[in-house]
Amino acid sequence: MTAQASDHGDGSPRDSLRAAADTMRAVRERCVWSQRITHHDLVPYLIEESHEVIDAVERGTRDDLREELGDLLWQVLFHAAIAAQDPDDPFDIDDVADTLTEKMVRRHPHVFAGETATTPEEVLVHWNAAKAAEKRTRTSVLDGVPRGMPALALAQKLAGRAAGAGIDAPVADGPSSEAELGEALLALVGRARAEGWDAERALRERLRVLQQDVRSAEG
């Protein structure tokens, strides 16, 4: 299916994203359930919708992916609609979009500012340099890592950050492919289940030690 601009039926262009934002604003203002929802209330839905997008990517159809991306977009619009009503520091979806656009332009100087990047590695150099300039107030390589990530994803993220501080996470021998890695991980979970151990908690506890090692190395 080729993407094309939609219209109102009279030939005038229609901004689909604006229409979605307007729909969300109307729901927020007129739906008694939506009026009571807070940012914190939405967190479980955001997690669920994110996993449904992943499932659509890995196992679904194109129609599934289109629908699930829409559901995830709805969560972003919902958060923005809530934020717009904040009495102290309001912002709306346009502010969110402006901030995103400014950041992505800044992080792609090879696209927007005359820099050169002919390989993915060179792109990452530009990206990391721009990101470092944005985060000058951070005092640790661990700053900015979401602690609410699932333990396995968090472990991979923290291992990368730890390497930046000169701390190497343990490396296991054995698996030589992602498929074999999956088998090894499942086997470890099976062992945890047999012993009555909590695999998620065990990994999180080990990650706390890794974080302590990193912060000690940073001084």
Side-chain angles (χ1 to χ4, degrees), residues 24 27-28 31 33-51 71-85 91 93:
M24 178 67 253
V27 169
R28 175 68 174 175
C31 171
W33 181 85
S34 299
Q35 289 169 353
R36 301 171 59 185
I37 296 298
T38 67
H39 289 299
H40 290 289
D41 294 333
L42 279 181
V43 168
Y45 300 99
L46 179 60
I47 294 171
E48 179 180 349
E49 297 299 352
S50 298
H51 282 292
D71 290 345
L72 186 59
L73 174 61
W74 186 255
Q75 293 299 305
V76 175
L77 296 173
F78 207 152
H79 276 285
I82 295 171
Q85 296 176 335
F91 61 83
I93 192 62

Side-chain angles (χ1 to χ4, degrees), residues 145-159 204 207 211:
V145 177
R147 298 301 188 265
M149 294 173 67
L152 196 56
L154 180 61
Q156 188 152 346
K157 189 78 169 180
L158 289 177
R204 285 192 177 276
L207 291 177
Q211 292 174 72

Side-chain angles (χ1 to χ4, degrees), residues 9-211:
D10 58 2
S12 60
R14 179 175 183 270
D15 185 334
S16 298
L17 287 175
R18 172 52 54 197
D22 290 343
T23 300
M24 178 67 253
R25 185 171 61 251
V27 169
R28 175 68 174 175
E29 293 173 351
R30 304 174 193 171
C31 171
V32 292
W33 181 85
S34 299
Q35 289 169 353
R36 301 171 59 185
I37 296 298
T38 67
H39 289 299
H40 290 289
D41 294 333
L42 279 181
V43 168
Y45 300 99
L46 179 60
I47 294 171
E48 179 180 349
E49 297 299 352
S50 298
H51 282 292
E52 288 183 359
V53 169
I54 294 170
D55 193 57
V57 169
E58 294 179 343
R59 302 190 301 170
T61 65
R62 298 292 290 175
D63 285 343
D64 292 334
L65 180 57
R66 179 170 55 190
E67 179 180 356
E68 298 304 340
L69 285 172
D71 290 345
L72 186 59
L73 174 61
W74 186 255
Q75 293 299 305
V76 175
L77 296 173
F78 207 152
H79 276 285
I82 295 171
Q85 296 176 335
D86 188 280
D88 301 316
D89 187 18
F91 61 83
D92 61 15
I93 192 62
D94 290 311
D95 298 314
V96 173
D98 288 343
T99 299
L100 172 64
T101 299
E102 291 168 3
K103 180 166 69 174
M104 290 302 113
V105 169
R106 193 166 56 246
R107 292 189 181 182
H108 293 81
H110 54 291
V111 176
F112 301 104
E115 298 289 344
T116 300
T118 58
T119 67
E121 292 75 18
E122 291 175 350
V123 170
L124 285 178
V125 169
H126 290 305
W127 177 277
N128 290 330
K131 189 173 181 179
E134 295 165 6
K135 310 300 182 183
R136 287 194 182 99
T137 59
R138 292 185 175 177
T139 59
S140 170
V141 296
L142 301 179
D143 290 348
V145 177
R147 298 301 188 265
M149 294 173 67
L152 196 56
L154 180 61
Q156 188 152 346
K157 189 78 169 180
L158 289 177
R161 295 293 183 92
I167 303 295
D168 293 325
V171 178
D173 295 327
S176 58
S177 68
E178 280 198 4
E180 291 182 6
L181 175 61
E183 289 289 338
L185 290 171
L186 182 58
L188 286 172
V189 171
R191 174 66 185 278
R193 181 176 178 276
E195 298 289 346
W197 300 333
D198 187 318
E200 178 89 3
R201 182 174 62 231
L203 183 53
R204 285 192 177 276
E205 290 292 341
R206 181 60 182 86
L207 291 177
R208 289 190 184 95
V209 175
L210 177 60
Q211 292 174 72

